[in-house]
Amino acid sequence: MAWTQKVLRINLTDGSIKQEPLNMEWARDYLGQRGLATKYLTEEIDPKCDPLGPDNKFIMTTGPLTGTMSSTGGRYSVVTKSPLTGCVACSNSGGFLGAEMKAAGWDMIIFEGKSPQPVYLYLENEKAELLPADEIMGTSVWAADEWIHKKHQDPLIRVATIGRAAEKGNLYAGVINDLHRAAGRSGVGTVMASKNLKAVAIRGTRGVGNIKDPARFMQAVSDGKKVLHDNAVTGQGLPKYGTQVLMNVINEVGAMPTRNMREVQFEGASNISGEAMHEPRESDGKPNLVTNAGCFGCTIACGRISTIDQGHFSVENKPEYWDASGGLEYEAAWALGSDTGIDDLDALTYVQFLCNEDGIDPITYGATLAAAMEMYEMGAIDKETTGGIELRFGNAEALCRVTELTCRGEGFGIDMGLGSRRLCEKYGHPELSMTVKGQEFPAYDPRGVQGMGLGYATSNRGACHLRGYTVASEIMGIPEKTDPLTTDGKPELVKAFQDMTAAVDSSGLCVFTTFAWTLEDIAPQIDAACEGDWSPDKLLEVGERIWNLERDFNIAAGMTAKDDTLPKRLLKDAAKTGPATGRVNDLDQMLPKYYEVRGWTADGVPTSETRKRFGLKALSA
Amino acid sequence: MLKALQIEPEKCTGCLQCEMACSYRAEGVFNPAKSRIKIFTFHEEGRFVPYTCTQCTEAWCMHACPVEAIVYNEATGSKDVLADKCVGCKVCTIACPFGTVNYDQDSGVVYKCDLCQGDPECSKACPTEAITYVDADHTGLDRMRAHAAKSAGLDAQQH
């Protein structure tokens, strides 16, 4: 039945470690991973708790298809209350750690309390130990990863760890696994740090079996792989260019957030695009991109493995950055590049390496830097604040230097670790923070892609593209083309994407499969693996249940309809160039209808009928 | 005509589909830890390299086995472990110069690639044709063809 049906519960305060059975009643309602762990979280913590206090919990969770041969079935998520947003956080990561955790025999690991001493978890199948981490406190992700492998003398261990930024209180630190895959958003790494938990090291040799109908499962897996292979996006575009396939496309449609979202097109986009990563550079004739790479079980392989030009100023005399590592993906390239006005591919790659090395979210970081640059240019912050750094748009040296400080939590990097909302408030310009619920926007300007504006405003973890990627429909025509500049039909479209994505995120699969797969491709794989009846309709119902549960968590945490909005810049300042010229995001034309199709009141609260439909109850705060 | 696994590391993305397919056929679980084929990641160079038994003609493992638990499979050319005969002495794991025969603590016997009795799951699972099952006499044919195209001034990728 694909779940291992085992949960590992670790109380960091007293060091106790217990095994308990997975709540299968909840698994039938929430499937796994994002949904199921959110159910555990809402049952076990007060939504009003201090996200960085011992009452918050930190859950690492897999889905039923994690660790199986389903293409992309290697995902795990971290679910907790976010210190950046105060909302429920679910950050999803690929790489190999999730499958290793499943192969060790665990659906979920729940960390509670706070350890009195720095520790890391060593998990070898049934054997779980909390070991002292004093020697790796204050070290980077990469150093901690190496130390753990050496200490246990086992190259096959998979490691998830936090870097120095999280330890220094950076509010958007992620958990990095396998050196450069990230549960990146919403500060889940900061929560890990608050628990004095430096790393999780896993070796799993039990494997994943217990498939309900093995023959049907293998056929469904095989059918699914063929669909991914034959699709132009998942079979060609993503393997060749990675998510960076979007850089030029999004720029052309006038939805490329530029210079803190003052503009919607970036003149330097082609220099930092997926295509540019293939171009041989002048110095050594090699391209930035070494190869593409797959996460566990993934037959798409969109991952980028890159090198930096050894003669580039950022890495001159720093041979530790000359080797290949995880390169630029679209979200990082946009946030670090277009939003800061920097089109230096090597500088961006160096900064991407740093973000991985010390575990910060490049989206929030890049957008925070963009806000800081705007404040610097208007005089709200000066060189005294930045420590002498000329923080102007387009300054690649400043980007590199500030990133080093932010990753290490030093100097102006401490301010930068606040994220843009708190930083802009601190320096008197809250209107310059491009955030929803405290989390920074991803790479699609909602003036040029109207549905995304509604998606951002209503996303349960703050601004996010991965909670409902209507770009697929509005720009790419998947599953069918809608006009990006109209608001008609967008409430229904946003809801459909949000519900579908919540189900996919709960299965153990990667949401990128949905460029090619619909639930008609996914449901047969889940249905053959898991007990119960998993039709596309059932999955949509599960997705909608998850969405409402997350919403109820946020309401209980203190969010209201007032938080379902966008910064004034996107609602009042029209796009100046491109196809969306003259447009703002018309959120007010979409939001009331969205609440209606969700079965929520005009104040954005699920009605009692809606809650009843999904077996939910209002969460007492 | 015997066939052999042809491995082209430059096509590998490191996804481990082959390891899962292998372990699933051999052990009934998706478990890279029990796979007969292994993908090695050379992170600093950005390379992924599949590696498994090449089925030596004069197989060291077969000759070293004191109980004749490794036998030649005439149909496929593979050297197969007879699990019920193996006593777990591990001499074969020492004898093999390539490390492709290994001991399994759970079963107490050694395991190695047996070409899935002539229908290797790894090659079927590989999404990029980094692992193919081809005429054993011509595992270099594709590379020869590419170089031949190049020598004639043709675009190797088109041919």
Side-chain angles (χ1 to χ4, degrees):
Chain A
M1 61 179 76
W3 298 279
T4 68
Q5 303 183 74
K6 277 164 53 187
V7 175
L8 187 64
R9 186 179 292 276
I10 299 178
N11 185 312
L12 291 161
T13 305
D14 64 16
S16 65
I17 298 176
K18 290 178 193 146
Q19 177 186 325
E20 63 186 45
L22 186 73
N23 187 320
M24 289 307 295
E25 193 183 326
W26 292 352
R28 281 185 282 275
D29 281 346
Y30 295 93
L31 188 54
Q33 204 156 331
R34 172 176 161 190
L36 189 53
T38 301
K39 175 64 176 170
Y40 270 83
L41 191 78
T42 55
E43 292 286 332
E44 296 190 11
I45 75 166
D46 176 354
K48 284 199 186 318
C49 75
D50 173 4
L52 298 179
D55 293 339
N56 194 9
K57 296 193 183 185
F58 177 89
I59 305 178
M60 297 174 75
T61 174
T62 63
L65 296 186
T66 305
T68 72
M69 209 164 142
S70 275
S71 184
T72 78
R75 312 294 299 188
Y76 90 101
S77 291
V78 175
V79 174
T80 187
K81 179 176 174 177
S82 162
L84 187 71
T85 64
C87 300
V88 63
C90 171
S91 293
N92 183 309
S93 182
F96 297 84
L97 180 108
E100 197 77 17
M101 175 175 152
K102 191 79 178 286
W106 304 98
D107 288 321
M108 203 180 285
I109 307 174
I110 303 174
F111 292 96
E112 334 180 308
K114 175 182 180 174
S115 173
Q117 305 294 335
V119 291
Y120 71 99
L121 173 69
Y122 177 71
L123 179 61
E124 184 187 331
N125 297 328
E126 300 77 24
K127 187 177 100 179
E129 298 175 291
L130 291 171
L131 299 174
D134 307 80
E135 285 184 55
I136 41 174
M137 291 309 278
T139 69
S140 72
V141 166
W142 293 356
D145 184 287
E146 187 180 355
W147 184 88
I148 288 169
H149 279 103
K150 275 191 181 153
K151 184 180 171 195
H152 292 275
Q153 298 188 344
D154 184 352
L156 299 176
I157 290 174
R158 305 290 187 183
V159 175
T161 181
I162 51 171
R164 289 171 288 189
E167 291 182 40
K168 292 289 183 75
N170 179 304
L171 289 174
Y172 47 90
V175 180
I176 306 288
N177 58 281
D178 305 293
L179 297 174
H180 53 78
R181 307 309 310 181
R185 298 221 77 189
S186 312
V188 298
T190 319
V191 176
M192 190 170 172
S194 76
K195 302 202 166 300
N196 246 338
L197 178 67
K198 176 69 177 178
V200 172
I202 307 178
R203 181 85 170 95
T205 63
R206 300 283 181 246
V208 177
N210 207 12
I211 299 296
K212 182 178 77 178
D213 185 340
R216 188 153 62 87
F217 180 70
M218 291 305 267
Q219 187 59 51
V221 165
S222 185
D223 293 346
K225 283 167 66 176
K226 185 167 188 325
V227 172
L228 294 176
H229 179 269
D230 293 346
N231 180 277
V233 178
T234 52
Q236 295 162 37
L238 283 173
K240 180 156 189 192
Y241 297 113
T243 50
Q244 278 270 64
V245 70
L246 288 163
M247 179 64 74
N248 288 323
V249 175
I250 300 300
N251 197 45
E252 276 162 30
V253 300
M256 175 65 69
T258 302
R259 284 177 278 267
N260 204 32
M261 304 187 87
R262 289 190 305 205
E263 297 149 66
V264 296
Q265 288 182 306
F266 180 42
E267 66 285 357
S270 66
N271 297 333
I272 57 172
S273 65
E275 290 83 348
M277 290 170 72
H278 278 274
E279 289 296 320
R281 51 196 172 216
E282 281 177 25
S283 62
D284 59 4
K286 291 179 184 166
N288 174 284
L289 184 74
V290 177
T291 184
N292 65 324
C295 294
F296 182 93
C298 176
T299 59
I300 303 172
C302 73
R304 304 290 91 183
I305 304 295
S306 289
T307 57
I308 306 164
D309 186 340
Q310 294 179 12
H312 188 261
F313 77 85
S314 60
V315 297
E316 229 175 350
N317 305 316
K318 293 183 199 165
E320 65 270 32
Y321 297 105
W322 292 355
D323 290 331
S325 192
L328 286 170
E329 302 192 9
Y330 174 53
E331 286 297 336
W334 156 78
L336 302 170
S338 166
D339 210 30
T340 63
I342 295 167
D343 66 353
D344 180 335
L345 185 63
D346 284 295
L348 301 194
T349 307
Y350 171 63
V351 170
Q352 170 72 77
F353 280 16
L354 294 181
C355 289
N356 292 335
E357 184 184 18
D358 267 300
I360 61 169
D361 169 13
I363 304 176
T364 284
Y365 168 68
T368 301
L369 181 60
M373 284 172 159
E374 185 163 0
M375 288 195 289
Y376 183 90
E377 291 198 346
M378 71 198 297
I381 56 178
D382 55 21
K383 269 192 181 171
E384 201 178 326
T385 308
T386 65
I389 298 167
E390 188 80 43
L391 207 60
R392 293 189 179 282
F393 285 112
N395 185 346
E397 286 88 350
L399 166 70
C400 294
R401 184 66 192 131
V402 173
T403 311
E404 290 162 359
L405 292 171
T406 306
C407 285
R408 292 162 200 167
E410 297 168 356
F412 182 60
I414 296 170
D415 263 0
M416 284 293 298
L418 293 169
S420 72
R421 185 174 70 179
R422 291 169 178 84
L423 182 79
C424 291
E425 280 169 2
K426 179 172 176 177
Y427 292 102
H429 288 278
E431 78 283 3
L432 297 184
S433 169
M434 295 300 118
T435 50
V436 174
K437 301 181 175 76
Q439 180 158 286
E440 288 70 9
F441 287 91
Y444 310 90
D445 194 295
R447 289 167 289 202
V449 196
Q450 292 288 322
M452 287 304 280
L454 178 62
Y456 295 147
T458 59
S459 157
N460 285 327
R461 70 167 185 178
C464 176
H465 54 303
L466 296 172
R467 285 295 171 275
Y469 191 70
T470 58
V471 169
S473 167
E474 297 182 271
I475 305 294
M476 302 164 80
I478 302 167
E480 55 195 30
K481 186 79 172 77
T482 53
D483 180 352
L485 298 178
T486 184
T487 56
D488 295 344
K490 295 302 165 64
E492 294 84 353
L493 186 75
V494 167
K495 175 183 179 291
F497 269 86
Q498 288 173 337
D499 293 348
M500 184 267 289
T501 305
V504 175
D505 283 346
S506 301
S507 68
L509 301 176
C510 176
V511 73
F512 287 3
T513 55
T514 59
F515 286 120
W517 287 352
T518 67
L519 291 179
E520 299 286 342
D521 300 290
I522 293 171
Q525 299 183 55
I526 299 175
D527 190 61
C530 302
E531 81 165 8
D533 165 35
W534 296 94
S535 62
D537 283 348
K538 170 78 185 289
L539 288 171
L540 278 178
E541 178 201 314
V542 166
E544 189 168 2
R545 177 178 294 113
I546 294 165
W547 194 266
N548 279 282
L549 179 70
E550 290 173 338
R551 179 75 177 184
D552 272 340
F553 180 99
N554 289 346
I555 291 168
M559 302 291 150
T560 68
K562 287 197 183 79
D563 298 296
D564 295 342
T565 188
L566 301 172
K568 289 222 162 39
R569 177 164 285 174
L570 307 176
L571 298 173
K572 304 285 182 198
D573 300 350
K576 296 193 258 306
T577 63
T581 299
R583 292 297 301 274
V584 295
N585 186 269
D586 295 317
L587 180 64
D588 57 351
Q589 292 176 22
M590 299 182 279
L591 193 59
K593 179 73 177 171
Y594 172 84
Y595 286 165
E596 190 188 319
V597 297
R598 275 258 168 245
W600 295 353
T601 68
D603 294 326
V605 177
T607 62
S608 52
E609 294 78 43
T610 299
R611 285 189 178 128
K612 196 175 164 195
R613 192 150 58 93
F614 296 108
L616 301 170
K617 57 185 190 301
L619 298 170
S620 53
Chain B
M1 183 184 75
L2 294 181
K3 293 172 92 174
L5 289 172
Q6 173 177 258
I7 290 173
E8 296 171 85
E10 63 278 8
K11 292 182 179 174
C12 178
T13 65
C15 75
L16 309 191
Q17 279 275 331
C18 56
E19 294 194 8
M20 279 186 282
C22 175
S23 58
Y24 192 72
R25 177 184 163 103
E27 309 276 345
V29 286
F30 301 111
N31 190 2
K34 295 287 169 71
S35 175
R36 279 80 174 133
I37 188 166
K38 291 283 182 198
I39 306 303
F40 292 90
T41 299
F42 298 90
H43 180 258
E44 289 164 7
E45 292 82 14
R47 290 294 300 273
F48 307 99
V49 184
Y51 202 77
T52 190
C53 176
T54 53
Q55 316 295 348
C56 309
T57 302
E58 292 295 331
W60 280 267
C61 61
M62 189 166 68
H63 290 309
C65 180
V67 296
E68 297 186 354
I70 299 179
V71 297
Y72 177 64
N73 183 327
E74 284 185 15
T76 64
S78 63
K79 314 301 176 293
D80 300 349
V81 176
L82 303 176
D84 54 350
K85 275 198 177 178
C86 175
V87 296
C89 73
K90 313 179 198 64
V91 170
C92 56
T93 70
I94 300 167
C96 173
F98 309 105
T100 54
V101 52
N102 285 284
Y103 179 67
D104 177 23
Q105 295 177 44
D106 295 331
S107 63
V109 299
V110 300
Y111 65 103
K112 68 180 286 298
C113 171
D114 66 356
L115 296 175
C116 298
Q117 303 301 310
D119 188 21
E121 296 292 338
C122 55
S123 70
K124 289 190 284 185
C126 179
T128 61
E129 297 184 333
I131 307 164
T132 47
Y133 193 49
V134 302
D135 179 351
D137 291 349
H138 289 287
T139 52
L141 202 63
D142 285 350
R143 266 169 286 171
M144 280 172 73
R145 187 182 181 84
H147 281 281
K150 201 173 164 187
S151 72
L154 304 167
D155 180 351
Q157 298 218 329
Q158 302 279 315
H159 298 271

